[in-house]
Structures are given as structure tokens and as C-alpha cells.
Amino acid sequence: MTKYFSKQSIFRLVIMMVICLLLWIFIQTNQYQIVSMAIAVIACFPIYYKYEKKELNTKELVLIAVLTTTAVLGRVLFYMIPAITPMTAIIIIVGICMGSEIGFLVGSLSAITSNMLFGQGPWTPFQMLSWGIIGFIAGVPLIQKILKKNYWFLIIYGIFAGIFFSFFMDIWTVFSLDRQFSWVRYLALLGTALPYTISYCFANAFFSCLLFRTIQKKLQRILIKYDINKGG
């Protein structure tokens, strides 16, 4: 069998089969909360795996760490104001300036790192995935170009990011209540969270416009000075 498949390929196939079996067992026992957490973790895996396979230099790793720390500080400094934080805006800007992969990495790492202060829990994989997706989409080449053109596009994307994060995290909230998904409860939660969703949207739009040019110029200087290639 190893003639046609490498040992690594066989190992990955076995792992995926085990994961699928476990997910099937949890579904059969109505453990939808565990299934949803597992899906969120699995969804993050491809980006981490792909990036881990790249030839990285110390400068690039340090830059990712600094960007993650900056995003985390944005959340920490504004923790007293509910739903107002520049963290999402910083993740968006990183995605625009550095590409999808680094945007996803900074977004997901910022979630798990900041939760060391705010509290880890079963919601962490959902936050990692949601902030990672926000950073990833901002780094898609076509969207990159659009967002760089005009502050109005930044505002629109900031609003989208606020709505997406709120809607996505409310899925976790529904599962956390009774381990099953209910559209009635989900829609009720969306209505209850509306003031916070509006705050998310405002904060993302405001801080994206406020910080974009400054962070963009700093990153351009760093990339040129230390000869770092932007992620794809």
C-alpha cells in the first residue's frame, strides 16, 4: 500500500476516518455542541497545516507574533466598553496588507491568545474560526484591491464583519443552551444581540478607517526593510 501512498497520507486518512466516526457517534447521541466545536477546529486545520509546510524565516514568524499581539492589545485596552474593540479592524487590515493566510492566522491566534486573559472555553474555536475567516476574506486578492480603493469599501466590510461575527457566534450560543440548534431561539438571540451587533459594526468601520493607512505604511516599511514576502 505504501507503494502508492506515503505514510503521511495514510496517517492523515486514518485520522480523518477516526474524526468522521467520532462525529457520527456524537451526532447519534445528540451531542451537537461537541460536533459544532469539532467542525470549527477542523475548519481551522487546513490553513495551519498549509502554513506549517511553508519555508518560514524568523523575521516572518516574529512579524506574525507582533501583529497578533497588536490585535490582542486592541481587545484588552477597550475591554471596559462592550462590543467596542479595534481588534477586528486590525485583523481586517492585516488581511488586506499581508494576504489571506496571515490574515487567518492573526485572526485565529488573536482569539485564542486574548482568551488567555478573558477566559478560554468551548466558544474559543468558534471565535478562532470567525475572526480567522474575517481576516482571510479581507486578504483575497480581488477583495484586497477593492478595500484599498476607498474608505467606503472599508466601512462596508467592517459592517459585514460585525454582522458575520455576531451571527456566527450566536450559533454557538444556541448550541450551548441545550446542545441542539433551534431556529426560533437563534432568531430570538439575534434580536436580543442587535445593540451589540450595531456596536460591532460601528467599531469595525471606525477603527478600520482610522488605523488602515498608519498600519499599512508601517507594514510596507517592515516588509521592505527585512525582505519579508507577503502571504498569499
Side-chain angles (χ1 to χ4, degrees), residues 86 89 93 151 154 204-215:
I93 295 168
Y151 278 121
L154 267 180
N204 295 343
F206 174 76
F207 285 114
S208 293
C209 293
L210 180 68
L211 301 174
F212 177 65
R213 294 303 175 195
T214 301
I215 295 177

Side-chain angles (χ1 to χ4, degrees), residues 116-173:
M116 291 179 183
L117 300 172
F118 294 100
Q120 301 285 2
W123 55 84
T124 299
F126 277 79
Q127 290 179 327
M128 290 176 65
L129 182 57
S130 57
W131 269 315
I133 289 173
I134 289 168
F136 184 90
I137 293 174
V140 173
L142 177 61
I143 297 176
Q144 268 184 329
K145 293 178 182 178
I146 293 172
L147 294 178
K148 287 178 180 179
K149 282 183 180 180
N150 194 300
Y151 278 121
W152 284 111
F153 294 117
L154 267 180
I155 291 171
I156 292 169
Y157 189 76
I159 293 171
F160 161 79
I163 294 172
F164 171 78
F165 184 82
S166 182
F167 280 32
F168 192 82
M169 289 307 298
D170 280 339
I171 295 174
W172 150 251
T173 306

Side-chain angles (χ1 to χ4, degrees), residues 68-99:
T68 302
T69 303
T70 304
V72 171
L73 283 174
R75 188 179 181 189
V76 172
L77 293 174
F78 286 79
Y79 80 98
M80 292 292 289
I81 310 174
I84 299 293
T85 171
M87 182 166 134
T88 305
I90 293 170
I91 293 168
I92 291 170
I93 295 168
V94 170
I96 296 170
C97 297
M98 300 295 295

Side-chain angles (χ1 to χ4, degrees), residues 83 166-167 170 186-200:
S166 182
F167 280 32
D170 280 339
Y186 179 65
L187 294 174
L189 283 169
L190 291 180
T192 304
L194 186 59
Y196 293 95
T197 303
I198 293 172
S199 297
Y200 284 139

Side-chain angles (χ1 to χ4, degrees), residues 37-53:
M37 287 169 52
I39 291 172
V41 172
I42 293 168
C44 292
F45 178 75
I47 298 294
Y48 281 95
Y49 180 77
K50 182 181 177 183
Y51 206 78
E52 188 269 336
K53 286 295 180 182

